Amino acid sequence: MNDLPKVVSNCDVESYVDDTKTFISFSLSEADLGLLSLSQDLRSIAEWCCSNKLLINPLKTEFMIFGMEKSIKNLPNLSIPFLGKILTPVTVCKDLGLTFDATLTYDDHINSLTSTLTSSLCQINRVRHLFNKDALLVMINCLVFSKLYYCSTVWSGTTQKNIKKLQRVQNFAARIVTGTRKYDHITPALDKLGWLSVNDSLLYRNAIMMYKIVHGLAPAYLSSKLVIRSQLHKHITM
């Protein structure tokens, strides 16, 4: 799979095991040209797969356009032919456990996440009388917080409305561990447990990631992306 990125001439390619993503950016006025370039590279990828005796499932291939809501609404009806199928833009897609939407609000991801975590907490709450505080903390860390903060550096820029939904999940977890009643103020319980708020936790995790990138402790891919983005920002602001 290592030589797959070399077969494209217009797009960027990122792969994780057998899941490959192809990216291209274009302005609203160059949408047709951008899709033509993408279509050409998809054809090249399909030819590469054929020569390497690999199969692509067009039914599992998704085409998504990211952009500002106003720009997306002004786009014409776009489609890409691929292996006898016509790919049309989807509004939501899932990749490596994250749900992306076209405008990157992450509303769908947060709604799905809060539903899953609330269900897990309800199950823990039913049997909390069987466990001590330490056991409850282990269960909540493993079953709830590990999922709550998964890839948080990607979606942490979501709306405060979504952050509040996640805060309610954390509050529920704190009530289970401390035995705080439903209508009691939650701040003393959070302070007792030493838990940062969700908003502060996201900021803390982002700061750690940035520290690792700046000091060369993160994967080389992230460091190179930081350099590219910094140079681009410098060029734009000149």
Side-chain angles (χ1 to χ4, degrees):
M1 298 294 293
N2 291 341
D3 62 331
L4 177 57
K6 298 178 181 179
V7 305
V8 300
S9 55
N10 305 302
C11 303
D12 293 325
V13 174
E14 300 292 347
S15 297
Y16 183 81
V17 192
D18 63 342
D19 188 0
T20 299
K21 290 163 282 293
T22 306
F23 305 91
I24 189 170
S25 61
F26 51 83
S27 63
L28 189 62
S29 60
E30 297 175 337
D32 291 336
L33 180 61
L35 288 185
L36 178 61
S37 299
L38 178 59
S39 181
Q40 291 172 348
D41 281 349
L42 286 177
R43 191 179 303 113
S44 298
I45 291 174
E47 292 173 356
W48 177 89
C49 289
C50 183
S51 63
N52 285 276
K53 297 181 175 58
L54 298 173
L55 296 177
I56 295 180
N57 188 347
L59 298 179
K60 292 185 178 181
T61 301
E62 294 181 316
F63 164 44
M64 191 167 192
I65 297 177
F66 295 95
M68 301 295 289
E69 184 176 2
K70 182 178 179 180
S71 299
I72 292 177
K73 287 182 178 180
N74 290 331
L75 283 172
N77 293 326
L78 303 177
S79 61
I80 299 177
F82 184 58
L83 297 178
K85 302 293 182 180
I86 301 297
L87 303 180
T88 56
V90 297
T91 56
V92 174
C93 71
K94 194 167 185 177
D95 182 41
L96 301 179
L98 287 179
T99 303
F100 294 87
D101 56 275
T103 54
L104 296 180
T105 63
Y106 297 102
D107 288 345
D108 293 274
H109 177 72
I110 300 300
N111 288 336
S112 175
L113 182 62
T114 53
S115 176
T116 299
L117 298 184
T118 300
S119 177
S120 297
L121 286 172
C122 286
Q123 294 177 25
I124 295 173
N125 190 42
R126 293 191 189 100
V127 296
R128 68 177 180 179
H129 61 283
L130 300 176
F131 302 95
N132 58 27
K133 178 181 176 181
D134 290 338
L136 289 173
L137 284 172
V138 169
M139 285 190 290
I140 288 174
N141 282 325
C142 292
L143 301 177
V144 179
F145 290 159
S146 63
K147 297 178 181 178
L148 193 157
Y149 294 111
Y150 171 70
C151 286
S152 62
T153 50
V154 176
W155 54 261
S156 59
T158 187
T159 62
Q160 282 300 309
K161 179 181 178 181
N162 285 333
I163 299 297
K164 289 179 180 179
K165 293 179 182 179
L166 297 176
Q167 185 60 55
R168 285 195 288 269
V169 171
Q170 187 193 56
N171 293 349
F172 186 13
R175 294 184 190 281
I176 292 174
V177 176
T178 60
T180 304
R181 293 177 299 182
K182 183 176 181 179
Y183 296 104
D184 290 343
H185 204 282
I186 194 60
T187 300
L190 294 175
D191 291 340
K192 183 178 179 180
L193 292 169
W195 290 356
L196 294 174
S197 67
V198 171
N199 200 55
D200 289 343
S201 292
L202 293 175
L203 179 61
Y204 176 69
R205 290 167 182 269
N206 288 346
I208 291 176
M209 179 60 73
M210 182 56 66
Y211 177 88
K212 290 181 178 180
I213 293 174
V214 170
H215 290 83
L217 302 175
Y221 169 80
L222 291 178
S223 299
S224 65
K225 289 295 183 182
L226 176 65
V227 172
I228 292 172
R229 289 177 182 174
S230 298
Q231 292 175 345
L232 178 60
H233 177 71
K234 181 179 179 181
H235 174 73
I236 291 173
T237 54
M238 288 179 61

